[in-house]
Amino acid sequence: MPVADLLPELVLLIGAAVIIVTAAFLPHRLHGLCALLATGVLVASAGLVVTGWSRPDHLTFAGVWALDGAARFAKLLIISSGVASAALSPHWMATDRRHGEYYGLLLFAVLGAIMMASAADTMELVVGVLLSSVTGYALVGYHRQWSPAQEAAMKYFLVGALANALLVIGVVLLFGLTGATGYTEMAGRLAENPDPWVVITALVLILIGLGFKLGASPAHMWMPDVAQGAPAPVAALVTVITKVGAAVALARLAAVLPEAIPWRWAIALMAVVTMTWGNLAALWQSNLRRLLGWSAISQSGYALVAIAVLGATEQALPALMVILTAYAIANLAAFSVVTHLRGRTELADYRGLAQQRPWAAAVLILALLSFLGLPPLVGFFGKLLVFGAAIDGGYTWLAVAAVINTVVSLFYYLRVIAPMVFGTPEDTSAQLGWPSAVTMVITGLMVVFLGLGIESLIGLARDGTLLLLR
């Protein structure tokens, strides 16, 4: 069995177990060392991914695990998000008596997202979704004494229980129709003129299941509550890694569906509803974290646009990779500011921030403008690639809908930026500590530098391939 193929994942698994055991014996005042250990594990795992970057694309472990460019790109994105979240956490979690165990759960959540992105078998996909969900519920509700965290965790759990059940039913229907769980076998048998109604039913159920992890309509309701109620470093992590893992998983599964099934239209419709719902709901939010949650939903719609034209144009996969990168970096930067300001949530708290905390204000403005798609920030190029892919793939109407939604989003991003720049601060804002400050500055600079070096990022994304793509 090619165990070496899974070294990055095994490092995460063993590292998580070691951290949980270590935390049980460490005195509470030393639990912060687990953050260093988790960061070291994540960096080692990322190093192994980079080391294997030039290896030929192939399926391993009897064809259930994909080792291709898309999986490697997603792994780096997910692991990097884990590093940022771990860096934001030590001071935030310092008073929690389970501070050390937190980092073990964080690594398990990263592993679950990676499993989703690498799955070439429906059984592995289900295991990845469940691992990501279970760890996500625990992380979101980590502050058990705080009612918003409890409410967010409960809503996340209830929506997740229903969506995951529908996902499993969809997988079972596909297995009953094809007698296979591996994507390779499934693709061949689906091409042999199967019952279209069973395939369509299974597709709808799987779309809802993966849409839950992606934060896409109609299973998106958990996202604003998690963004608002979860510990801020957890909100930064969960709203990124689940989206990246689910987007790549959906793209990989869509690649095996026959063209006779209207899956492109289903995903395109889902994209429009997700973008529009997220943007309209964000318009009048008075809570920044909740606004970021609705914004995250609308960003899922752009990722779905790229997935809808996968296989119809060569631009689709690079567009998906770049828009996911742009979202991840901007979202981590925005939540780094929220974390550094000790979780300030109301928009009124940010009035005059540019005078009080110019660095924090600058990073938040860069993140919001990148979400909007302003050049030369990385978000601009992500959206440009998505629009181009939609037009090149024959879905011009979808590109028009995405552009209209981008214009609508300008309103609520300016509702945050304008008072922050021109308002008068009412009181002095507190800061969390240097780790969150460093993370905030680094992620903010990356929003700019990735935009300035977009050719390298696009080149890296174009190196990505998706096995089984027609």
Side-chain angles (χ1 to χ4, degrees), residues 292 295 299 302 326-328 330-332 334 366-374 379 383 406 409 413:
L292 289 175
S295 171
Q299 298 293 325
Y302 297 104
Y327 165 75
N331 198 60
L332 289 169
L366 286 172
L368 297 178
L369 292 181
S370 184
F371 283 142
L372 175 64
L374 194 75
K383 287 192 173 179
T406 297
S409 68
Y413 290 134

Side-chain angles (χ1 to χ4, degrees), residues 27 33 76 188 191-192 209 215 220 239 291 293 326-327 340 346-347 371 403 435:
L33 294 175
L76 280 187
E192 297 171 357
H220 63 275
T239 54
L291 184 149
Y327 165 75
H340 185 58
E346 296 300 322
L347 288 184
F371 283 142
V403 170

Side-chain angles (χ1 to χ4, degrees), residues 55 86 102 122 151 156 267 355 357 377 381 412 432 463:
R55 294 177 62 188
Y102 164 82
T122 50
E151 181 183 345
Y156 192 24
I267 294 177
Q355 301 171 36
R357 309 287 180 200
L377 305 177
F381 297 102
Y412 61 82
L432 190 60
D463 287 341

Side-chain angles (χ1 to χ4, degrees), residues 167-212:
L167 171 68
V168 171
I169 293 171
V171 166
V172 169
L173 284 176
L174 277 183
F175 176 73
L177 189 66
T178 64
T181 57
Y183 290 179
T184 308
E185 300 83 2
M186 195 184 295
R189 293 173 191 175
L190 285 174
E192 297 171 357
N193 196 25
D195 185 337
W197 292 109
V198 177
V199 178
I200 290 172
T201 305
L203 172 64
V204 170
L205 296 176
I206 292 173
L207 267 181
I208 295 173
L210 288 179
F212 159 68

Side-chain angles (χ1 to χ4, degrees), residues 7-58:
L7 275 180
E9 290 81 2
L10 289 174
V11 166
L12 290 173
L13 179 63
I14 295 170
V18 169
I19 286 174
I20 289 176
V21 172
T22 303
F25 294 97
L26 278 178
H28 182 263
R29 61 185 170 81
L30 297 180
H31 277 199
L33 294 175
C34 293
L36 292 176
L37 186 54
T39 304
V41 169
L42 288 163
V43 170
S45 180
L48 290 168
V49 174
V50 173
T51 302
W53 194 270
S54 58
R55 294 177 62 188
D57 297 343
H58 65 284

Side-chain angles (χ1 to χ4, degrees), residues 179-453:
T181 57
Y183 290 179
T184 308
E185 300 83 2
M186 195 184 295
R189 293 173 191 175
L190 285 174
E192 297 171 357
N193 196 25
D195 185 337
W197 292 109
V198 177
V199 178
I200 290 172
T201 305
L203 172 64
V204 170
L205 296 176
I206 292 173
L207 267 181
I208 295 173
L210 288 179
F212 159 68
K213 301 304 294 181
L214 191 59
S217 300
H220 63 275
M221 293 80 78
W222 61 274
M223 185 73 84
D225 292 273
V226 167
Q228 180 182 5
V234 172
L237 180 77
V238 172
T239 54
V240 169
I241 64 171
T242 56
K243 194 185 299 291
V244 175
V248 177
L250 181 57
R252 199 181 297 285
L253 187 61
V256 306
L257 294 174
E259 287 292 342
I261 304 299
W263 63 268
R264 293 188 190 279
W265 282 93
I267 294 177
L269 180 62
M270 194 176 186
V272 172
V273 173
T274 300
M275 283 186 290
T276 307
W277 197 331
N279 279 325
L280 292 180
L283 286 177
W284 297 107
Q285 293 296 326
S286 60
N287 183 295
L288 177 63
R289 293 178 61 175
R290 198 165 184 84
L291 184 149
L292 289 175
W294 284 110
S295 171
I297 292 169
S298 71
Q299 298 293 325
S300 297
Y302 297 104
L304 286 169
V305 171
I307 297 173
V309 293
L310 200 69
T313 169
E314 292 182 353
Q315 297 181 36
L317 189 57
L320 176 62
M321 294 293 114
V322 175
I323 194 72
L324 288 176
T325 305
Y327 165 75
I329 295 300
N331 198 60
L332 289 169
F335 273 103
S336 295
V337 174
V338 173
T339 305
H340 185 58
L341 298 178
R342 292 183 175 272
R344 283 183 166 221
T345 59
E346 296 300 322
L347 288 184
D349 296 336
Y350 289 81
R351 182 179 295 276
L353 186 67
Q355 301 171 36
Q356 252 187 7
R357 309 287 180 200
W359 277 100
V363 171
L364 186 54
I365 290 171
L366 286 172
L368 297 178
L369 292 181
S370 184
F371 283 142
L372 175 64
L374 194 75
L377 305 177
V378 63
F380 166 74
F381 297 102
K383 287 192 173 179
L384 192 64
L385 287 174
V386 167
F387 300 158
I391 295 170
D392 197 46
Y395 280 72
T396 304
W397 66 270
L398 192 53
V400 172
V403 170
I404 292 173
N405 269 283
T406 297
V407 174
V408 171
S409 68
L410 174 64
F411 176 77
Y412 61 82
Y413 290 134
L414 287 181
R415 281 190 65 228
V416 182
I417 294 172
M420 199 161 48
V421 175
F422 301 110
T424 303
E426 296 178 356
D427 56 5
T428 304
S429 58
Q431 299 177 83
L432 190 60
W434 68 266
S436 58
V438 171
T439 308
M440 177 184 75
V441 172
I442 290 176
T443 51
L445 291 175
M446 285 184 69
V447 170
V448 179
F449 288 149
L450 283 177
L452 297 177

